[in-house]
Amino acid sequence: MLLKDFYTVNKLAVANNQATANISINKDHDVFKGHFPGNPVTPGVCMMQIIKELSEQIVEKALFMESSTNVKFMAIINPEKTPDLELTLDISETDEGYKVKNVTKFEDTVALKLSTTFKIK
C-alpha cells in the first residue's frame, strides 16, 4: 500500500473477470490535513492508486499504469460523510498486461468511472 493506512479492504470478491471491493477510507489520514482542512476531499490520484493496488491483488502481479481514458470524477468523496465505497473492476488480459474498467460508488451515487491499461512490471 503506497499510502499507509489510507484505506481498508473490507471485502474483495472475484468471479470470472469481474471483482467487487468494499473499502473504507480513513478519514483521519494525514492526506486530509492538506486536502482540504475542514472539508476533506479524497484526492483523485489516491483513488487511482487504490484501483491499481486492488488490480495487483486480484491478478497477483506488480503493475504499472500505462494509460487511462474516460476518467470521470462525478461526485466528491468526503471521508467524513461517505467513507465506505464499492469498487467494481472489470479486468481483461491484454498482450502486455491488463485493461481495467472501474466504477466507484458510495451508497447509490457513482463517484468515479475510469478505464485504464496496466503493464506488468
Side-chain angles (χ1 to χ4, degrees):
M1 187 179 295
L2 186 63
L3 292 172
K4 189 175 190 247
D5 300 323
F6 185 72
Y7 68 99
T8 303
V9 178
N10 301 317
K11 181 180 173 186
L12 179 61
V14 182
N16 301 326
N17 293 337
Q18 185 142 349
T20 302
N22 295 93
I23 69 167
S24 295
I25 302 291
N26 176 6
K27 68 179 178 60
D28 298 318
H29 195 275
D30 285 344
V31 144
F32 298 112
K33 290 179 182 173
H35 204 270
F36 297 94
N39 187 25
V41 175
T42 304
V45 69
C46 293
M47 289 305 305
M48 294 172 79
Q49 180 66 26
I50 290 169
I51 293 164
K52 175 187 175 280
E53 291 174 4
L54 290 171
S55 298
E56 288 177 322
Q57 186 175 344
I58 293 161
V59 302
E60 299 178 335
K61 293 184 173 118
L63 302 173
F64 174 80
M65 186 179 286
E66 181 179 42
S67 64
S68 293
T69 58
N70 300 322
V71 181
K72 297 178 184 173
F73 295 99
M74 303 169 76
I76 291 173
I77 301 170
N78 179 330
E80 290 179 350
K81 295 179 181 174
T82 54
D84 299 320
L85 306 174
E86 180 182 275
L87 291 85
T88 303
L89 298 102
D90 186 3
I91 301 173
S92 56
E93 195 164 358
T94 66
D95 290 338
E96 297 180 358
Y98 297 89
K99 183 169 181 141
V100 177
K101 292 182 183 179
N102 166 258
V103 175
T104 300
K105 299 191 302 186
F106 56 85
E107 298 164 355
D108 290 330
T109 302
V110 175
L112 168 64
K113 288 185 177 182
L114 165 76
S115 294
T116 191
T117 302
F118 294 108
K119 277 189 165 183
I120 298 171
K121 281 187 179 180

